[in-house]
Amino acid sequence: MGLSAAAIRTGLDAIAAKTPAIADALTRVGYPEPRIRNRGYATMLRTIVGQQVSVAAASSMWTKLTGTLGEDIPPDLLLAADFDALRACGLSRQKQAYARSLCELVLAGEVDFDALPADDEEAITLLTQIKGIGRWSAEIYLLFAEGRADIWPAGDLAVQVGLGKLLGMEERPSEKLTRQLAEGWRPYRGAAAIFTWHCYNNAAL
C-alpha cells in the first residue's frame, strides 16, 4: 500500500528540518493526506484504462470492463476477449494493445506485482516493459501502491509547479532541475512529491 500518514509526516519533518521553505509551507498548509492504491495487476490495468481520458470516462470504462470480465478482470479472460467486446467497454485499439501487453507479461511471470525488484530503478525498468507504461506511470504505481519512500516523479508537471511554488522560484523548474533540487531530500522524496501535489493549487501559498 502507499505511504501512510505517519510515513509522510516523518519524511516531511526530516525535510523541513533542513529546508526552511518546506517548514514554512507546512505551518501554512499542513500535512497532506495519504494517496493509496491497491497493489497489483488491476491497479496497473486501471492506469492504462485511464490514460488520456477524463476521470468520468475512465470510471465508466472500468465499470463496463468489470461487468464484462468480472470484478478482478483476470488477465487470461481479458486476453481471451475479442476486439469488439473490449471496444464495447470503451477501449481503443491502442488501449487494448497496452492491456494485452500487461496481461501477457503477468501470465508469463515476467512481471510479478507481488515481487517487484527492491531497487526502485530496477522496478521502474521492469514496469516500463509494459506497453503504454512510461516512467511516470511506473513511479506513480510504486509510490501510491507500494509506498516506496524515495520515489520522486520529477517529470510530473504538478510536482514541478508545486516545487517552484514552495521554493519561491519565478519559473517552473525543468525536469532535470526538479530532480537536482530534491537530491538532498533522500530517502524521503516520496513524501515531498505528495506535498508538492498538496501545494500545487493551495490558496494559502
Side-chain angles (χ1 to χ4, degrees):
M1 300 292 280
L3 285 179
S4 66
I8 291 171
R9 181 178 288 267
T10 296
L12 288 176
D13 284 348
I15 293 170
K18 54 185 175 182
T19 314
I22 300 297
D24 177 61
L26 269 176
T27 63
R28 288 192 278 168
V29 302
Y31 296 91
E33 292 295 318
R35 296 186 175 209
I36 294 176
R37 296 179 188 168
N38 292 327
R39 176 183 290 179
Y41 144 84
T43 290
M44 189 59 79
L45 177 60
R46 191 152 193 166
T47 297
I48 290 170
V49 169
Q51 288 176 341
Q52 298 181 325
V53 297
S54 68
V55 173
S59 179
S60 174
M61 283 190 277
W62 190 256
T63 298
K64 290 174 183 176
L65 268 177
T66 55
T68 301
L69 299 176
E71 202 62 36
D72 296 331
I73 312 183
D76 57 332
L77 292 187
L78 192 150
L79 281 177
D82 63 27
F83 175 84
D84 289 335
L86 295 179
R87 188 73 187 89
C89 295
L91 269 67
S92 64
R93 186 178 299 277
Q94 186 179 59
K95 283 187 191 290
Q96 289 192 37
Y98 295 167
R100 291 183 188 280
S101 170
L102 168 63
C103 293
E104 288 166 356
L105 289 168
V106 168
L107 289 175
E110 293 181 40
V111 175
D112 182 353
F113 286 97
D114 292 323
L116 293 178
D119 180 82
D120 292 339
E121 286 300 322
E122 289 181 15
I124 289 168
T125 297
L126 180 65
L127 291 174
T128 52
Q129 290 181 24
I130 303 164
K131 289 181 181 176
I133 297 300
R135 183 181 181 90
W136 180 85
S137 295
E139 288 172 332
I140 294 302
Y141 176 84
L142 293 173
L143 181 57
F144 293 170
E146 293 227 333
R148 303 265 182 130
D150 200 38
I151 293 293
W152 179 241
D156 185 282
L157 178 64
V159 168
Q160 295 169 5
V161 172
L163 181 64
K165 194 174 184 180
L166 284 166
L167 299 182
M169 302 174 71
E170 292 185 3
E171 296 183 0
R172 172 172 60 88
S174 66
E175 178 176 351
K176 182 179 180 180
L177 182 55
T178 296
R179 202 170 297 284
Q180 291 173 347
L181 289 169
E183 275 300 309
W185 296 345
R186 292 175 181 271
Y188 301 113
R189 293 181 300 169
I194 293 171
F195 191 55
T196 60
W197 286 312
H198 181 56
C199 295
Y200 175 59
N201 276 328
N202 199 305
L205 293 175

